[in-house]
């Protein structure tokens, strides 16, 4: 390597220039480093120690319990219970069987346009959730088919008032990004909800922090990518190849200890 002259041979003016360049280089590294994501965002399901959660609904016709049981990493099920003012026809029978087989259980409400308090009441009346069951609100996107973010806040607050805990909040990257941008630095009810993050990639390098620092669950494989492309990141035996699949960045035992997520998860230290 060619020798580099020492600063005193360049003169005072050049030393100042070098110093400024060094400070500029450091200032550029810091923002780039802040974008880096931990191991929890890089194919965590490839690690056989990580727990798997599935979230079926009535449209998932293939559901063989004996086959599902062969995957010992699947320890929890979060089933759609209601959407708008409609109930899921498979919910009750699958809940009964899941509890009999020892699975952790949870439910979610797919938010639709309309009265958010009426939907919240409908959801709670139908599910009658126990203290050990996940309760969750699902907002698929910010379209006219979905509950607005303003109404989602009303729904979340009502659930918290009635149950004494905040529901898990399921949504995709775009909505997470919007909430993080709009609510950053503000007292927001979303920061009290554990995030169920839907992003169908193997690795995420741009998780939008600000309201959440990480996810409680990551839905990484879904009918939205499996059914359309035929390529699933994970297959659970006994289910359709386009079953929605989620990962918890921890072991089945650690998931059982965290369930039903009474507080948001904090960023993992790697």
């Amino acid at each position: 390597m060619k020798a580099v002259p020492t600063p005193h041979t360049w003169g005072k003016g050049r030393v100042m220039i070098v110093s400024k360049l060094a400070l500029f280089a450091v200032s550029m590294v810091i923002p780039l480093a802040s974008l880096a994501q931990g191991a929890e965002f890089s194919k965590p399901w490839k690690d056989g120690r990580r727990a798997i959660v599935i979230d079926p609904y009535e449209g998932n016709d293939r559901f063989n319990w004996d086959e599902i049981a062969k995957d010992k990493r699947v320890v929890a099920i979060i089933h759609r219970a209601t959407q708008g003012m409609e109930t899921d026809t498979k919910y009750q029978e699958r809940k009964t069987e899941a509890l009999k087989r020892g699975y952790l259980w949870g439910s979610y409400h797919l938010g639709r346009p309309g009265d958010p308090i009426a939907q919240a009441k409908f959801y709670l009346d139908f599910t009658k959730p126990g203290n050990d069951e996940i309760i969750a609100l699902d907002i698929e996107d910010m379209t006219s088919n979905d509950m607005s973010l303003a109404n989602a806040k009303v729904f979340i607050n009502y659930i918290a008032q009635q149950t004494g805990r905040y529901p898990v909040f399921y949504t995709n990257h775009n909505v997470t990004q919007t909430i993080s941008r709009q609510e950053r630095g503000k007292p927001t009810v979303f920061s009290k909800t554990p995030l169920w993050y839907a992003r169908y990639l193997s690795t995420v390098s741009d998780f939008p922090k600000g309201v959440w620092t990480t996810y409680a669950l990551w839905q990484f494989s879904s009918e939205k990518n499996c059914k359309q492309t035929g390529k699933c990141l994970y297959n659970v035996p006994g289910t359709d190849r386009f079953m929605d699949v989620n990962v918890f960045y921890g072991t089945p035992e650690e998931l059982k200890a965290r369930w039903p997520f009474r507080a948001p998860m904090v960023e993992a230290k790697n």
Side-chain angles (χ1 to χ4, degrees), residues 22-49:
L23 288 172
F24 176 75
V26 170
S27 69
M28 290 301 292
V29 168
I30 292 173
L32 290 174
S34 68
L35 293 176
Q37 303 292 341
E40 71 267 38
F41 284 99
S42 183
K43 304 179 184 178
W45 54 89
K46 291 286 188 180
D47 184 339
R49 298 170 297 174

Side-chain angles (χ1 to χ4, degrees), residues 129-135 156 159-161 163-167 260 262:
N131 290 331
D132 58 348
E133 296 177 19
I134 274 184
I135 48 179
I156 290 167
I159 293 292
Q161 292 166 5
T163 66
R165 56 190 170 109
Y166 288 89
R262 297 181 182 277

Side-chain angles (χ1 to χ4, degrees), residues 58-193:
E58 63 186 9
N60 298 124
D61 294 325
R62 183 167 180 255
F63 208 80
N64 186 312
W65 288 101
D66 291 334
E67 288 294 314
I68 293 171
K70 293 179 181 179
D71 189 338
K72 301 304 180 184
R73 293 170 62 189
V74 178
V75 294
I77 298 170
I78 310 175
H79 203 290
R80 188 182 73 181
T82 52
Q83 62 169 329
M85 301 300 287
E86 300 176 358
T87 60
D88 188 295
T89 60
K90 298 289 187 181
Y91 179 81
Q92 296 292 4
E93 66 179 74
R94 286 179 176 166
K95 177 179 180 179
T96 299
E97 186 66 23
L99 294 179
K100 185 171 70 175
R101 289 173 176 264
Y103 288 101
L104 299 172
W105 184 258
S107 65
Y108 68 89
H109 172 79
L110 179 55
R112 296 299 192 190
D115 186 341
I117 292 182
Q119 291 186 51
K121 289 180 177 177
F122 183 70
Y123 168 61
L124 291 178
D125 286 345
F126 180 68
T127 57
K128 297 179 175 57
N131 290 331
D132 58 348
E133 296 177 19
I134 274 184
I135 48 179
L137 172 63
D138 175 357
I139 301 295
E140 300 283 318
D141 216 326
M142 294 180 293
T143 70
S144 58
N145 293 322
D146 300 282
M147 181 181 284
S148 68
L149 294 183
N151 280 348
K153 291 180 180 180
V154 175
F155 182 101
I156 290 167
N157 277 321
Y158 182 84
I159 293 292
Q161 292 166 5
Q162 296 300 309
T163 66
R165 56 190 170 109
Y166 288 89
V168 171
F169 183 64
Y170 169 97
T171 198
N172 63 19
H173 176 73
N174 290 336
V175 178
T176 304
Q177 191 173 49
T178 298
I179 292 173
S180 295
R181 183 177 63 250
Q182 293 179 352
E183 309 283 331
R184 182 188 300 270
K186 301 177 183 177
T188 174
V189 70
F190 289 116
S191 67
K192 300 175 182 179
T193 63

